[in-house]
Coordinates of all heavy atoms in Angstrom, one line a residue:
S913 N -10.4 -10.4 4.7 CA -9.9 -9.7 3.5 C -10.7 -8.4 3.3 O -11.1 -8.0 2.2 CB -10.1 -10.5 2.2 OG -9.3 -11.7 2.3
T914 N -11.0 -7.7 4.4 CA -11.9 -6.6 4.5 C -11.3 -5.4 5.2 O -10.6 -5.6 6.3 CB -13.2 -7.0 5.1 OG1 -13.8 -8.0 4.3 CG2 -14.2 -5.8 5.1
V915 N -11.5 -4.2 4.7 CA -11.1 -3.0 5.4 C -12.4 -2.2 5.6 O -13.3 -2.3 4.8 CB -10.1 -2.2 4.6 CG1 -10.6 -1.7 3.2 CG2 -9.5 -1.0 5.4
Y916 N -12.4 -1.5 6.7 CA -13.6 -0.8 7.1 C -13.3 0.7 7.3 O -12.1 1.1 7.6 CB -14.1 -1.3 8.5 CG -14.4 -2.8 8.5 CD1 -13.5 -3.7 9.0 CD2 -15.6 -3.3 8.0 CE1 -13.7 -5.0 9.0 CE2 -15.8 -4.6 8.0 CZ -14.9 -5.5 8.5 OH -15.1 -6.9 8.5
L917 N -14.3 1.5 7.1 CA -14.2 2.9 7.5 C -15.4 3.3 8.3 O -16.6 3.3 7.8 CB -14.2 3.8 6.2 CG -14.0 5.3 6.5 CD1 -12.6 5.6 7.0 CD2 -14.2 6.1 5.2
Q918 N -15.2 3.4 9.6 CA -16.3 3.8 10.5 C -16.4 5.3 10.5 O -15.4 6.0 10.8 CB -16.0 3.3 12.0 CG -17.0 3.7 13.0 CD -18.3 3.1 12.8 OE1 -18.4 1.9 12.5 NE2 -19.4 3.9 12.9
M919 N -17.5 5.8 10.2 CA -17.7 7.3 10.1 C -18.8 7.7 11.1 O -19.9 7.3 11.0 CB -18.2 7.6 8.6 CG -17.3 7.1 7.5 SD -17.7 7.6 5.9 CE -19.3 6.8 5.7
N920 N -18.3 8.5 12.0 CA -19.2 9.0 13.1 C -19.4 10.5 12.9 O -18.6 11.2 12.3 CB -18.6 8.7 14.4 CG -18.5 7.3 14.7 OD1 -19.3 6.5 14.2 ND2 -17.5 6.9 15.5
N921 N -20.5 11.1 13.5 CA -20.7 12.5 13.5 C -20.6 13.0 12.0 O -19.9 14.0 11.8 CB -19.8 13.2 14.4 CG -20.2 14.7 14.6 OD1 -21.3 15.1 14.4 ND2 -19.2 15.5 14.9
L922 N -21.3 12.4 11.1 CA -21.2 12.8 9.7 C -21.8 14.2 9.5 O -22.7 14.6 10.2 CB -22.0 11.8 8.8 CG -21.2 10.5 8.6 CD1 -22.2 9.4 8.2 CD2 -20.1 10.7 7.5
K923 N -21.2 14.9 8.6 CA -21.5 16.3 8.2 C -21.9 16.3 6.8 O -21.5 15.5 6.0 CB -20.3 17.2 8.5 CG -19.8 17.2 9.9 CD -18.6 18.0 10.0 CE -18.0 18.0 11.5 NZ -16.8 18.9 11.6
P924 N -22.7 17.3 6.4 CA -23.1 17.5 5.0 C -21.9 17.5 4.0 O -21.9 17.0 2.9 CB -23.9 18.8 4.9 CG -24.5 18.8 6.3 CD -23.5 18.3 7.2
E925 N -20.8 18.1 4.5 CA -19.6 18.2 3.7 C -18.9 16.9 3.5 O -17.9 16.8 2.7 CB -18.6 19.2 4.2 CG -18.3 19.0 5.7 CD -19.1 19.9 6.6 OE1 -20.3 20.1 6.3 OE2 -18.5 20.5 7.5
D926 N -19.3 15.8 4.2 CA -18.8 14.5 3.9 C -19.5 13.8 2.8 O -19.1 12.7 2.4 CB -19.0 13.6 5.2 CG -18.2 14.1 6.4 OD1 -17.0 14.5 6.2 OD2 -18.7 14.1 7.5
T927 N -20.5 14.4 2.2 CA -21.2 13.9 1.1 C -20.3 13.7 -0.1 O -19.6 14.6 -0.6 CB -22.4 14.8 0.7 OG1 -23.4 14.8 1.7 CG2 -23.1 14.2 -0.6
A928 N -20.2 12.5 -0.6 CA -19.3 12.2 -1.7 C -19.4 10.7 -2.1 O -20.1 9.9 -1.4 CB -17.8 12.4 -1.3
V929 N -18.8 10.3 -3.2 CA -18.6 8.9 -3.5 C -17.3 8.5 -2.9 O -16.3 9.1 -3.0 CB -18.6 8.7 -5.1 CG1 -18.3 7.2 -5.3 CG2 -19.8 9.1 -5.7
Y930 N -17.4 7.4 -2.1 CA -16.3 6.9 -1.4 C -15.7 5.7 -2.1 O -16.4 4.8 -2.4 CB -16.7 6.5 0.1 CG -16.8 7.8 0.9 CD1 -17.9 8.6 0.8 CD2 -15.9 8.0 1.9 CE1 -18.0 9.8 1.6 CE2 -16.0 9.2 2.7 CZ -17.1 10.0 2.5 OH -17.2 11.2 3.3
Y931 N -14.4 5.8 -2.3 CA -13.7 4.7 -3.0 C -12.7 4.0 -2.1 O -12.0 4.7 -1.3 CB -12.9 5.3 -4.2 CG -13.8 5.9 -5.3 CD1 -14.1 7.3 -5.2 CD2 -14.3 5.1 -6.3 CE1 -14.9 7.8 -6.2 CE2 -15.1 5.7 -7.3 CZ -15.4 7.1 -7.2 OH -16.2 7.6 -8.2
C932 N -12.6 2.7 -2.3 CA -11.6 1.9 -1.6 C -10.5 1.6 -2.6 O -10.7 1.4 -3.8 CB -12.2 0.6 -1.1 SG -11.1 -0.5 -0.3
A933 N -9.3 1.6 -2.1 CA -8.1 1.3 -3.0 C -7.1 0.4 -2.3 O -7.0 0.3 -1.1 CB -7.4 2.6 -3.3
A934 N -6.4 -0.3 -3.1 CA -5.4 -1.3 -2.6 C -4.1 -1.3 -3.4 O -4.1 -0.9 -4.6 CB -6.0 -2.7 -2.8
R935 N -3.1 -1.6 -2.7 CA -1.8 -1.7 -3.4 C -0.9 -2.7 -2.6 O -0.8 -2.6 -1.4 CB -1.1 -0.3 -3.4 CG 0.4 -0.4 -4.0 CD 1.1 0.8 -4.0 NE 2.5 0.6 -4.4 CZ 3.3 1.5 -5.0 NH1 2.8 2.8 -5.1 NH2 4.5 1.2 -5.3
E936 N -0.2 -3.5 -3.3 CA 0.7 -4.4 -2.7 C 2.0 -3.6 -2.4 O 2.5 -2.9 -3.3 CB 1.1 -5.6 -3.7 CG -0.1 -6.6 -3.8 CD 0.3 -7.7 -4.8 OE1 0.6 -7.4 -6.0 OE2 0.2 -8.9 -4.4
V937 N 2.4 -3.8 -1.2 CA 3.6 -3.0 -0.7 C 4.6 -4.0 -0.1 O 4.2 -5.1 0.3 CB 3.3 -1.9 0.3 CG1 2.5 -0.8 -0.4 CG2 2.6 -2.5 1.5
A938 N 5.9 -3.6 0.0 CA 6.9 -4.5 0.4 C 7.1 -4.5 1.9 O 7.6 -5.5 2.5 CB 8.2 -4.1 -0.3
F939 N 6.7 -3.4 2.6 CA 7.0 -3.3 4.0 C 5.7 -3.1 4.8 O 4.8 -2.5 4.4 CB 7.9 -2.1 4.2 CG 9.2 -2.3 3.5 CD1 9.5 -1.5 2.4 CD2 10.2 -3.1 4.0 CE1 10.7 -1.7 1.7 CE2 11.4 -3.3 3.3 CZ 11.6 -2.5 2.2
N940 N 5.7 -3.7 6.0 CA 4.5 -3.8 6.8 C 4.1 -2.4 7.3 O 2.9 -2.2 7.5 CB 4.8 -4.6 8.0 CG 3.6 -4.8 8.9 OD1 2.5 -5.1 8.4 ND2 3.8 -4.5 10.2
W941 N 5.0 -1.4 7.4 CA 4.6 -0.1 8.0 C 4.1 0.9 7.0 O 3.7 2.0 7.4 CB 5.9 0.4 8.7 CG 7.1 0.4 7.9 CD1 8.1 -0.6 7.9 CD2 7.5 1.3 6.9 NE1 9.0 -0.3 7.0 CE2 8.8 0.9 6.3 CE3 7.0 2.5 6.4 CZ2 9.4 1.6 5.4 CZ3 7.7 3.2 5.5 CH2 8.9 2.7 4.9
I942 N 4.1 0.6 5.7 CA 3.8 1.6 4.7 C 2.3 1.9 4.7 O 1.5 1.0 4.7 CB 4.2 1.1 3.3 CG1 5.7 1.1 3.2 CG2 3.6 2.0 2.3 CD1 6.3 0.5 1.9
V943 N 2.0 3.2 4.8 CA 0.6 3.7 4.6 C 0.6 4.6 3.3 O 1.4 5.6 3.3 CB 0.1 4.5 5.8 CG1 -1.3 5.0 5.5 CG2 0.1 3.6 7.0
V944 N -0.2 4.3 2.3 CA -0.2 5.0 1.1 C -1.3 6.1 1.1 O -2.4 5.8 1.5 CB -0.4 4.1 -0.1 CG1 -0.3 4.8 -1.4 CG2 0.6 3.0 -0.1
V945 N -0.9 7.3 0.8 CA -1.9 8.4 1.0 C -2.2 9.2 -0.3 O -3.0 10.1 -0.2 CB -1.4 9.4 2.1 CG1 -1.1 8.7 3.4 CG2 -0.1 10.1 1.6
T946 N -1.7 8.8 -1.4 CA -1.9 9.5 -2.7 C -2.8 8.6 -3.6 O -2.7 7.4 -3.6 CB -0.6 9.9 -3.3 OG1 0.1 8.7 -3.7 CG2 0.2 10.8 -2.5
V947 N -3.5 9.3 -4.5 CA -4.3 8.6 -5.5 C -3.4 7.8 -6.4 O -3.7 6.6 -6.7 CB -5.1 9.6 -6.3 CG1 -5.8 8.9 -7.5 CG2 -6.2 10.3 -5.4
S948 N -2.3 8.4 -6.8 CA -1.4 7.7 -7.7 C -0.6 6.6 -7.1 O -0.1 5.7 -7.8 CB -0.4 8.7 -8.3 OG 0.4 9.3 -7.2
G949 N -0.7 6.5 -5.8 CA 0.0 5.4 -5.1 C -0.7 4.1 -5.1 O -0.1 3.1 -4.7
Y950 N -2.0 4.1 -5.5 CA -2.7 2.9 -5.5 C -2.9 2.3 -6.9 O -3.0 3.0 -7.9 CB -4.1 3.1 -4.8 CG -4.0 3.3 -3.4 CD1 -3.9 4.5 -2.7 CD2 -4.1 2.1 -2.5 CE1 -3.8 4.6 -1.4 CE2 -4.0 2.2 -1.2 CZ -3.9 3.5 -0.6 OH -3.8 3.5 0.8
H951 N -3.0 1.0 -6.9 CA -3.0 0.2 -8.2 C -4.5 -0.3 -8.5 O -4.8 -0.4 -9.6 CB -2.1 -0.9 -8.2 CG -0.6 -0.5 -8.1 ND1 0.4 -1.4 -7.7 CD2 0.0 0.6 -8.4 CE1 1.5 -0.8 -7.7 NE2 1.3 0.5 -8.1
Y952 N -5.2 -0.5 -7.4 CA -6.5 -1.2 -7.6 C -7.6 -0.3 -6.9 O -7.4 0.1 -5.8 CB -6.5 -2.6 -7.1 CG -5.3 -3.4 -7.6 CD1 -4.3 -3.7 -6.8 CD2 -5.4 -3.9 -8.9 CE1 -3.2 -4.5 -7.2 CE2 -4.3 -4.7 -9.4 CZ -3.2 -5.0 -8.5 OH -2.2 -5.7 -9.0
W953 N -8.7 -0.2 -7.6 CA -9.8 0.7 -7.1 C -11.1 0.0 -7.2 O -11.4 -0.8 -8.1 CB -9.9 2.0 -7.9 CG -8.7 2.9 -7.7 CD1 -7.5 2.8 -8.3 CD2 -8.6 3.9 -6.7 NE1 -6.6 3.8 -7.8 CE2 -7.3 4.5 -6.8 CE3 -9.5 4.5 -5.8 CZ2 -6.9 5.6 -6.1 CZ3 -9.1 5.6 -5.0 CH2 -7.8 6.1 -5.2
G954 N -12.0 0.3 -6.2 CA -13.4 -0.2 -6.3 C -14.2 0.8 -7.1 O -13.7 1.8 -7.6
Q955 N -15.5 0.4 -7.3 CA -16.4 1.2 -8.1 C -17.0 2.4 -7.4 O -17.6 3.3 -8.0 CB -17.5 0.3 -8.6 CG -18.6 0.1 -7.7 CD -18.3 -0.8 -6.5 OE1 -17.2 -1.5 -6.5 NE2 -19.1 -0.9 -5.5
G956 N -16.8 2.4 -6.1 CA -17.3 3.5 -5.2 C -18.7 3.3 -4.7 O -19.5 2.5 -5.2
T957 N -18.9 3.9 -3.5 CA -20.2 3.8 -2.9 C -20.6 5.2 -2.4 O -19.8 6.0 -1.9 CB -20.2 2.8 -1.7 OG1 -21.5 2.7 -1.2 CG2 -19.3 3.3 -0.6

């Protein structure tokens, strides 16, 4: 029940709070790319 983000060759411009988001979708191929497209959010890291 885990998703990962492997970040290599990090740059100063990558500095930010990173948030994970989840949304139940009907189809296996869907990738959601907008903030408004997600229903559930973490607190950020």
Side-chain angles (χ1 to χ4, degrees):
S913 299
T914 301
V915 63
Y916 305 98
L917 185 68
Q918 178 66 44
M919 306 185 293
N920 298 329
N921 190 23
L922 282 159
K923 303 176 180 181
E925 52 263 42
D926 295 319
T927 295
V929 177
Y930 282 71
Y931 296 92
C932 179
R935 173 179 174 159
E936 289 179 301
V937 294
F939 300 104
N940 181 51
W941 47 265
I942 292 176
V943 178
V944 183
V945 301
T946 61
V947 172
S948 60
Y950 284 94
H951 296 159
Y952 308 106
W953 292 84
Q955 80 288 348
T957 185

